[in-house]
Amino acid sequence: MFTQFGATAESLSKASSLVLRIGTDAHLYDDPDDVSIGPLLDSRYDSEKVDAVKRLLALIAQGVDVSHFFPQVVKNVASQSLEVKKLVYLYLLHYAEKRQNEALLSINCFQKDLSDTNPLVRAWALRAMAGIRLHAVAPLVLAAISKCARDPSAYVRKCAAYALPKLYDLHHDEDNTALEELVDILLSDHSHGVVGAAAVAFKSVCPTSLFLIAKSFRRLCETLPDVEEWGQIVLVEILLRYVIARHGLVKESILFSSNSVLHSQDDENFATSGDMLDHHHHHSVVGTTCDSNMVTVMYKSYIEGQKECFTQAGCVKGDDDKLDLPPLTSSTNDDVDILLRCTSPLLWSHNSAVVLAAAGVHWIIAPRKEIERIIKPILFILRSSQASKYVILCNILVFAKAAPSLFSLNYEDFFVFSSDSYQIKVLKLEILSTIATESSLPNILEEFQDYVKDPDRRFVADTVAAIGLCAQRQPVAASTCLEGLLGLIFHESSISSLSQLDGEAGVLVQAIMSIKAIIKHDPTSYDKVIVRLACNLDRVKEPAARALIIWIIGEYCSVGQIIPRIVPSVLKYLAWTFNSEELETKLQILNTAAKVLLCTEGEDLLTFRKILSYVIELAKSDSNYDVRDRARFILKLMPRNLTSTSEEETTSCSLQNVGIHHEFAENIFSGRTHSTASSAKSGRIYLPGSLSQIVLHAAPGYEPLPKPCSLHASDLELHMELGDETKESAERMAKNNSFGTGDNDVSSGSSFEESGSVYDSHHSIISSDSEGNEISSELNEIGHSSLEVMHDDWDKTLINVSDASVDNDQGSQSAKGNLSALISTDLAELMSKSALESWLDEQPGLASVQMSQRPPSGSISINNLDCTVTPKIHTLLDPTNGNGLRVEYAFSYEVSTISPVLVQIEVFFENCLSESLVKIALKDGEYTSRVDSSDPVLEEHESLLPTDNAPSMLPTEEIASLDPGQRLKEVIQVRFHHHLLPFKLAVLCNGKKYLTKLWPDIGYFLRPLSMSMNGFIEKERQLPGMFECTKRCTFKEHIDHEKDDDTSGHSDKIILISRTIASKVLSNSNVCLVSVDIPVSFNIDDASGLCLRFSGEILSSSKPCLITILAEGKFSGPLDITVKINCEDTVFGLNLLNRVAAFLP
């Protein structure tokens, strides 16, 4: 085509596709690795970084592993470009779980972004933090979610709700009270998007804490139509569970109405009548015709669960057992009424899952006369949604089985289309056979006649089964169905004799099985059908079909007048063809011969004995062992006089059929079977709209409905009282955030106090006696002897006077000028600029806290403070739990000479009894026998330390005896698995063992690092960005010291504050004081500019860790303290920052 222009169809197609790709990123997928990505990630230009990360995401989409670029991508997380930051976050979320250690390097930037003025950045940061599934950062994630749950932006609060399930995955075995409180706060939110996300969090975190719904139930119902679709599904389920747990079942509903009838004596006519008498409430309920057995099973499955339902006698033995009525409520109940009213609009949702959820609510608690409102919405989505057709049909089938008349007028909607899949065709056939009525059955059977001609013989077999079900449920059409089935049998028999087609045998067998099921209801009326089957037995060649016909002949051999006459001829024919039959036919011939013999009396008895004896002889020499075993079984089971062939034995033992063998034979072959439960009882029923209803087993996360009225009023009242207090505090916080007052109490520092308090409030012991009982108790901090540390051995000048001229940061001023442009529209509408800055914990006009490295005015630097260091004493075992033995411990400032990973701890033993204690020792609670030899430092001590995979301690000598009042000190060396995880310790005394926990203090995972002030500043410059983290707190301890010391001079006050802060730091961490910058100010009450620097290095990695403390404020009041940590180990630095901010106030 167009050869004169040199063009082909292929080239034109390529050209058109190139035109369509102009202006898109589709070219990245052609050859995303055609350029060097590494240099682009290190580029100075944001556009090149964007292109590089996009290429990485394109490779990820194609299944390529690009995790080796992780370190280069992580460093770009601090980029100021929103586009770069967004793409980097997407990359981090994908590889956060795979590269957890590298992902931890960016946590500091995430925390900074949580205080960004752009809500999108805050939301991205929270999503990235929650995506790092590591227990070490769980406290930080919890604090971040706590802060974002109160964010002014609804989108950030929504992301906080979605982050709760991720955090719960890490804490599902722990106390989740804090998570429940956050869910409670988010459920009370006024944003519809947040409420939907909070419902998802509720279902994952605390699905059984339905008392949280009580105070917000009506508001949640009213909000329901406005919540996003997938949130509506979860919220509808939660509200339904609350109503049932709070008020119980509705007495007018289909579940309760059917169950109440089971207590009456006339429930046999319930399935065929529209009226029923409620004996408990003396009123009539007129509604949809229901199958009482099916509804009973449905009720038990909904409330008790599938497994519990079928393990109880009421669901196994049949209709004899009675159901106990559950607690009841009325449809006029306010909560029931508002839930039904608010879910009614959802029936016409475009989302089929929402429609099924709303229909499930009406199915369970709506009055029977109102259930019909779910019909049209369900049929509408059945016609309009092809993707969800199978799911909808599965739920319709359950509804139809319980209430067949519900969809009986709409049977045409379930006619099969040629485009339907096989699974959908089968469901439609079952529904049609269930809802068929006397008036609609002719049309349905006419439709089935077309289905029988379908090329898919498997579908034809299912159609034949559906015809049989229709005949059983509508006996008036049984004769018509039988005629059609017999004609089909003869047709299929002729086809199968001519050629073997796939599926023809299945159609033939299914047709005979359907006839067998129909005959079973009234054998006397269908004796001619049995005769026709017997007469055409030689035409049927399929072994399974022949076996079924033989079974029918043997089962009903004595029915009517015609069948007994043809049975001898049939048995003779079967005996003659026995050797040529297949296995299943042979077995059925043996059974039929035995049945006929048991049922026969008179002149034919001898004939049947001879036939049975002949068949048994043939079977005894058969090549198949199943046939031989069946022959021997029948021979031993049948009485000897029945198997005898002589006339004399027959005369002498003619009617002696009272033996036990004859009884057994009659019970086995006579066809008398015990009544079994109906087919409804053997079905699997789950809540409407659930995944379990589709897969027919309890899917992960599936829970039945709560017990009716299981939510007690006392629980609701207690929660309402606590909820009112929480609401008042939240309103006060919102009030402070909504006006431009800039309350300093709302800060990021306060949000992280929970993670820092683990060192103070989480010290607990687990004391156990010889039987292993554990008792938890809080530890008391007891003052101890002071230890003076003098830092006078450093090679530097004692006092340095610095210049007052310090350059101002122009970047800060530019950030101040552009702050208003960074504030998004939704935040500006919610609060003023100053209030937003206060909530974000930022100084007005600054994007982040920038600590200057030198004081803003003239200062004096000193490096020696005669401060007193008092180490903290913690209680490991108190005398009450230790039977008079008190064990205390304090972290030592000495560094282990054996290995840098060991932490030295001083342990004090004291006898508080009036008698001696013996055999006192400390043992590792989790000691393992494998020795770690990988550490070269520990080679000579490898016999003393366990493996490196768990905490360990060097063994100590046992204390033989401890006299009354005596106090001894032991030094132990412990290797902690993590600086946040406790070490399990066992205290042995007097032959008893007490299990305790030794909680680490991150401040003593350091050793002092001596350096000059210039070296400190230079090292600080080398650790910027992600290696730097800051936090604010308030310092008040100097006020009490000032009252005790009557010092009025400025220099005395500043020295007092410096000593107090330095003493606090040195008493809680093993670092050294580098310098103290004392400001020279003309204001005698001004302490602004006071700066203390401390340095240390991590024991395990020897990485430097710098601590800078900057004070602002006046001597007479509390000081605003800003703590900054510079450390290469970001996680360690974050946890150390929280620790310092926790002990300073």
Side-chain angles (χ1 to χ4, degrees):
M1 184 178 181
F2 304 117
T3 54
Q4 65 272 27
F5 299 105
T8 62
E10 183 179 358
S11 61
L12 289 175
S13 176
K14 290 183 178 180
S16 61
S17 63
L18 289 175
V19 171
L20 294 175
R21 293 151 63 95
I22 293 176
T24 67
D25 292 330
H27 65 282
L28 298 175
Y29 291 89
D30 295 336
D31 190 7
D33 204 18
D34 60 349
V35 296
S36 181
I37 297 178
L40 293 179
L41 292 173
D42 298 330
S43 175
R44 298 171 51 193
Y45 305 102
D46 291 336
S47 59
E48 294 183 352
K49 294 180 180 179
V50 168
D51 186 66
V53 183
K54 282 184 177 180
R55 293 181 184 276
L56 290 177
L57 296 177
L59 288 170
I60 292 174
Q62 297 177 11
V64 180
D65 184 10
V66 291
S67 58
H68 56 280
F69 289 103
F70 200 92
Q72 292 177 276
V73 177
V74 166
K75 67 181 181 181
N76 290 310
V77 76
S79 174
Q80 298 301 317
S81 172
L82 290 182
E83 190 173 6
V84 174
K85 190 182 291 289
K86 177 175 65 174
L87 295 173
V88 169
Y89 277 156
L90 291 175
Y91 179 90
L92 291 179
L93 284 175
H94 186 78
Y95 285 113
E97 293 190 27
K98 185 177 181 180
R99 303 289 293 268
Q100 292 181 353
N101 293 330
E102 290 88 344
L104 293 177
L105 299 176
S106 56
I107 286 185
N108 183 36
C109 291
F110 296 155
Q111 289 186 304
K112 286 185 177 180
D113 288 343
L114 289 175
S115 298
D116 196 276
T117 55
N118 192 324
L120 291 177
V121 175
R122 299 200 297 274
W124 295 340
L126 181 61
R127 287 178 57 198
M129 286 188 67
I132 302 176
R133 309 293 181 88
L134 198 61
H135 285 276
V137 299
L140 304 181
V141 177
L142 177 60
I145 296 176
S146 302
K147 180 179 180 181
C148 292
R150 301 171 177 84
D151 194 279
S153 172
Y155 179 70
V156 179
R157 299 197 301 273
K158 179 180 176 180
C159 291
Y162 282 128
L164 282 173
K166 299 179 182 179
L167 182 61
Y168 175 74
D169 290 341
L170 297 176
H171 287 272
H172 62 276
D173 294 332
E174 303 176 11
D175 185 16
N176 297 308
T177 305
L179 300 183
E180 289 188 12
E181 293 176 355
L182 292 175
V183 171
D184 191 14
I185 293 173
L186 293 169
L187 283 174
S188 303
D189 202 281
H190 295 286
S191 172
H192 303 151
V194 177
V195 171
V200 176
F202 177 91
K203 186 176 180 180
S204 300
V205 176
C206 50
T208 59
S209 302
L210 295 173
F211 54 84
L212 298 176
I213 308 297
K215 65 177 182 179
S216 306
F217 175 78
R218 298 186 66 85
R219 185 183 56 81
L220 291 175
C221 290
E222 294 169 354
T223 308
L224 189 57
D226 300 320
V227 177
E228 60 181 357
E229 292 178 345
W230 297 110
Q232 286 175 343
I233 301 170
V234 180
L235 188 56
V236 163
E237 179 186 353
I238 294 172
L239 295 176
L240 173 63
R241 292 177 179 274
Y242 168 77
V243 168
I244 294 178
R246 180 70 180 90
H247 304 290
L249 290 176
V250 177
K251 60 185 179 182
E252 298 91 351
S253 69
I254 185 173
L255 297 182
F256 170 72
S257 298
S258 300
N259 287 330
S260 63
V261 176
L262 294 179
H263 292 268
S264 63
Q265 299 297 326
D266 54 355
D267 58 344
E268 298 176 356
N269 299 325
F270 174 71
T272 59
S273 64
D275 302 333
M276 53 169 280
L277 180 63
D278 188 346
H279 296 279
H280 299 273
H281 295 273
H282 308 285
H283 67 278
S284 297
V285 180
V286 180
T288 307
T289 303
C290 299
D291 183 350
S292 58
N293 291 337
M294 181 67 186
V295 173
T296 301
V297 176
M298 182 182 297
Y299 158 74
K300 281 182 164 287
S301 300
Y302 285 173
I303 301 297
E304 300 172 2
Q306 190 73 22
K307 185 177 181 180
E308 290 77 5
C309 172
F310 289 101
T311 55
Q312 296 182 6
C315 285
V316 176
K317 294 182 180 179
D319 297 333
D320 296 335
D321 295 333
K322 305 296 180 64
L323 281 177
D324 295 331
L325 287 178
L328 310 174
T329 187
S330 173
S331 60
T332 58
N333 182 284
D334 292 340
D335 289 348
V336 175
D337 180 65
I338 191 174
L339 180 58
L340 290 175
R341 283 192 289 107
C342 293
T343 53
S344 294
L346 303 184
L347 291 172
W348 295 102
S349 172
H350 295 289
N351 190 317
S352 56
V354 176
V355 176
L356 285 178
V361 172
H362 285 74
W363 176 256
I364 294 174
I365 66 173
R368 294 182 63 189
K369 59 184 179 181
E370 298 181 8
I371 291 180
E372 294 181 355
R373 70 173 61 177
I374 72 175
I375 299 176
K376 291 183 178 180
I378 290 180
L379 294 179
F380 177 78
I381 60 174
L382 179 63
R383 302 188 198 103
S384 58
S385 178
Q386 294 295 326
S388 58
K389 183 176 289 187
Y390 179 79
V391 177
I392 297 167
L393 287 172
C394 287
N395 288 273
I396 290 178
L397 179 60
V398 178
F399 296 156
K401 285 183 176 180
S405 60
L406 194 63
F407 294 93
S408 60
L409 298 178
N410 308 95
Y411 63 90
E412 293 182 352
D413 289 286
F414 304 104
F415 284 171
V416 173
F417 297 99
S418 59
S419 59
D420 290 338
S421 63
Y422 171 74
Q423 290 78 10
I424 291 178
K425 290 179 181 179
V426 172
L427 284 174
K428 285 187 174 182
L429 287 175
E430 191 171 359
I431 293 172
L432 284 172
S433 62
T434 303
I435 66 175
T437 61
E438 187 176 350
S439 59
S440 63
L441 188 58
N443 296 330
I444 294 176
L445 291 178
E446 185 179 356
E447 185 75 11
F448 284 169
Q449 290 177 6
D450 294 333
Y451 300 164
V452 172
K453 303 172 185 176
D454 195 274
D456 185 359
R457 308 313 290 171
R458 184 173 55 163
F459 171 59
V460 173
D462 294 324
T463 304
V464 172
I467 294 174
L469 290 176
C470 291
Q472 296 175 57
R473 289 166 181 165
Q474 298 295 331
V476 294
S479 299
T480 306
C481 295
L482 281 173
E483 288 296 329
L485 291 173
L486 286 172
L488 182 63
I489 289 175
F490 302 145
H491 175 70
E492 295 294 332
S493 300
S494 61
I495 293 178
S496 60
S497 62
L498 295 176
S499 61
Q500 282 290 339
L501 298 178
D502 294 338
E504 293 297 339
V507 175
L508 180 61
V509 171
Q510 186 60 59
I512 299 176
M513 289 181 65
S514 298
I515 292 176
K516 169 189 166 185
I518 297 172
I519 293 175
K520 183 179 179 181
H521 288 278
D522 190 5
T524 306
S525 301
Y526 306 119
D527 56 344
K528 294 182 180 179
V529 177
I530 300 175
V531 172
R532 292 178 64 182
L533 288 174
C535 293
N536 290 275
L537 184 59
D538 57 337
R539 296 174 56 184
V540 179
K541 304 302 181 183
E542 176 62 32
R546 289 176 62 86
L548 280 172
I549 295 176
I550 295 171
W551 182 91
I552 294 174
I553 294 172
E555 185 72 14
Y556 306 109
C557 61
S558 60
V559 174
Q561 301 295 327
I562 305 176
I563 299 177
R565 297 178 186 175
I566 67 170
V567 167
S569 301
V570 174
L571 283 182
K572 290 178 181 178
Y573 164 75
L574 293 176
W576 177 62
T577 61
F578 184 84
N579 286 331
S580 61
E581 299 288 353
E582 297 294 333
L583 170 62
E584 49 192 327
T585 309
K586 289 180 179 179
L587 295 176
Q588 204 55 249
I589 291 173
L590 286 168
N591 293 342
T592 300
K595 285 182 183 180
V596 172
L597 184 59
L598 288 171
C599 298
T600 303
E601 297 178 358
E603 56 186 10
D604 293 331
L605 187 61
L606 182 60
T607 303
F608 290 139
R609 287 187 190 136
K610 292 180 178 180
I611 294 174
L612 179 59
S613 299
Y614 176 73
V615 173
I616 289 177
E617 290 299 324
L618 293 177
K620 288 168 64 176
S621 59
D622 194 87
S623 60
N624 189 284
Y625 62 86
D626 286 333
V627 178
R628 298 195 301 271
D629 290 345
R630 182 68 58 87
R632 295 189 185 96
F633 171 75
I634 294 176
L635 185 62
K636 296 293 183 181
L637 187 63
M638 302 294 289
R640 289 188 178 182
N641 59 338
L642 292 182
T643 57
S644 174
T645 58
S646 66
E647 188 71 27
E648 297 178 358
E649 292 183 7
T650 304
T651 305
S652 59
C653 326
S654 58
L655 296 175
Q656 298 179 6
N657 297 332
V658 294
I660 189 171
H661 291 83
H662 180 75
E663 243 180 86
F664 284 157
E666 281 195 346
N667 287 333
I668 293 174
F669 294 112
S670 65
R672 295 195 300 268
T673 58
H674 296 286
S675 61
T676 57
S678 63
S679 59
K681 293 181 181 295
S682 61
R684 297 176 180 268
I685 302 174
Y686 298 90
L687 291 175
S690 63
L691 175 63
S692 302
Q693 186 58 58
I694 310 304
V695 298
L696 296 180
H697 65 81
Y702 174 83
E703 290 292 337
L705 293 175
K707 300 292 183 182
C709 295
S710 58
L711 191 59
H712 302 292
S714 57
D715 298 337
L716 292 177
E717 292 176 359
L718 177 62
H719 177 70
M720 293 294 283
E721 293 176 0
L722 298 175
D724 292 339
E725 297 176 0
T726 306
K727 184 177 180 180
E728 291 176 1
S729 61
E731 288 178 352
R732 288 196 300 268
M733 183 177 296
K735 183 177 180 181
N736 292 333
N737 289 338
S738 300
F739 301 95
T741 57
D743 191 358
N744 291 329
D745 293 336
V746 184
S747 64
S748 61
S750 61
S751 66
F752 287 95
E753 289 178 359
E754 297 177 4
S755 60
S757 63
V758 67
Y759 301 96
D760 298 327
S761 62
H762 286 185
H763 291 291
S764 60
I765 66 164
I766 301 175
S767 174
S768 65
D769 52 15
S770 58
E771 297 178 356
N773 297 323
E774 298 185 353
I775 305 173
S776 298
S777 63
E778 294 186 356
L779 299 178
N780 300 319
E781 294 183 355
I782 305 174
H784 195 52
S785 59
S786 300
L787 175 66
E788 294 188 356
V789 180
M790 305 295 295
H791 304 276
D792 55 355
D793 55 345
W794 299 335
D795 255 343
K796 49 187 169 182
T797 57
L798 184 64
I799 298 179
N800 295 326
V801 180
S802 62
D803 195 355
S805 60
V806 179
D807 296 337
N808 295 326
D809 189 0
Q810 297 179 356
S812 299
Q813 295 180 357
S814 63
K816 179 178 180 180
N818 296 330
L819 180 62
S820 59
L822 294 175
I823 300 177
S824 62
T825 305
D826 62 334
L827 293 181
E829 293 175 356
L830 290 173
M831 56 173 58
S832 63
K833 173 181 172 181
S834 58
L836 173 63
E837 292 170 348
S838 174
W839 185 88
L840 294 176
D841 191 28
E842 300 296 339
Q843 296 178 1
L846 289 178
S848 60
V849 177
Q850 299 291 337
M851 298 178 59
S852 59
Q853 296 175 349
R854 293 184 181 272
S857 59
S859 64
I860 300 176
S861 297
I862 62 175
N863 53 24
N864 188 356
L865 289 174
D866 295 335
C867 55
T868 302
V869 177
T870 306
K872 273 192 174 182
I873 304 297
H874 307 282
T875 300
L876 186 65
L877 183 67
D878 58 20
T880 304
N881 296 321
N883 291 333
L885 176 65
R886 172 181 291 155
V887 183
E888 298 171 339
Y889 69 93
F891 288 89
S892 174
Y893 293 95
E894 299 293 331
V895 178
S896 173
T897 58
I898 298 177
S899 172
V901 299
L902 294 176
V903 178
Q904 289 199 166
I905 303 174
E906 298 177 353
V907 183
F908 303 92
F909 300 90
E910 183 178 357
N911 187 356
C912 300
L913 296 179
S914 57
E915 55 186 16
S916 299
L917 299 175
V918 297
K919 296 182 179 180
I920 303 173
L922 294 177
K923 299 293 183 182
D924 184 358
E926 293 184 351
Y927 181 76
T928 55
S929 59
R930 189 167 60 89
V931 179
D932 174 32
S933 59
S934 61
D935 191 349
V937 182
L938 297 177
E939 287 182 355
E940 60 181 0
H941 299 276
E942 61 182 6
S943 61
L944 302 177
L945 286 177
T947 176
D948 192 40
N949 294 330
S952 57
M953 64 173 290
L954 293 180
T956 58
E957 295 182 0
E958 182 182 83
I959 301 177
S961 176
L962 191 64
D963 297 332
Q966 185 180 2
R967 185 180 179 92
L968 292 180
K969 183 181 78 171
E970 292 283 344
V971 178
I972 62 174
Q973 300 187 41
V974 176
R975 180 193 301 181
F976 289 93
H977 184 58
H978 193 272
H979 52 260
L980 294 180
L981 300 180
F983 175 69
K984 293 183 180 180
L985 201 62
V987 181
L988 305 179
C989 179
N990 288 344
K992 293 185 178 180
K993 181 172 68 174
Y994 306 93
L995 295 179
T996 62
K997 286 185 178 180
L998 188 68
W999 288 90
D1001 193 334
I1002 192 173
Y1004 293 92
F1005 284 73
L1006 298 167
R1007 58 172 169 261
L1009 178 62
S1010 176
M1011 62 173 59
S1012 63
M1013 186 177 69
N1014 293 331
F1016 184 97
I1017 294 174
E1018 182 62 28
K1019 191 65 180 177
E1020 189 179 29
R1021 289 174 178 170
Q1022 298 174 7
L1023 298 173
M1026 69 176 65
F1027 304 118
E1028 178 182 309
C1029 52
T1030 59
K1031 193 171 185 180
R1032 291 177 175 177
C1033 59
T1034 303
F1035 186 73
K1036 301 179 181 179
E1037 190 170 339
H1038 67 286
I1039 300 177
D1040 297 332
H1041 286 280
E1042 185 179 358
K1043 293 179 180 178
D1044 297 338
D1045 300 338
D1046 296 333
T1047 57
S1048 57
H1050 176 272
S1051 59
D1052 294 336
K1053 290 182 179 180
I1054 200 73
I1055 291 295
L1056 174 63
I1057 294 176
S1058 302
R1059 284 178 178 172
T1060 306
I1061 296 177
S1063 177
K1064 275 275 189 179
V1065 175
L1066 296 176
S1067 298
N1068 290 275
S1069 58
N1070 193 14
V1071 294
C1072 68
L1073 178 65
V1074 176
S1075 67
V1076 180
D1077 290 345
I1078 300 177
V1080 177
S1081 176
F1082 295 100
N1083 188 349
I1084 194 173
D1085 196 32
D1086 188 13
S1088 300
L1090 176 62
C1091 181
L1092 292 86
R1093 300 181 178 89
F1094 304 87
S1095 63
E1097 61 181 5
I1098 303 174
L1099 289 176
S1100 58
S1101 60
S1102 299
K1103 294 180 180 178
C1105 186
L1106 311 180
I1107 305 175
T1108 306
I1109 299 177
L1110 181 64
E1112 299 288 338
K1114 298 182 179 181
F1115 294 124
S1116 57
L1119 296 178
D1120 293 331
I1121 300 294
T1122 302
V1123 183
K1124 182 179 71 171
I1125 304 290
N1126 294 81
C1127 182
E1128 291 184 39
D1129 192 338
T1130 310
V1131 177
F1132 186 90
L1134 287 172
N1135 291 321
L1136 179 62
L1137 176 67
N1138 293 328
R1139 174 62 178 142
V1140 175
F1143 65 66
L1144 273 181

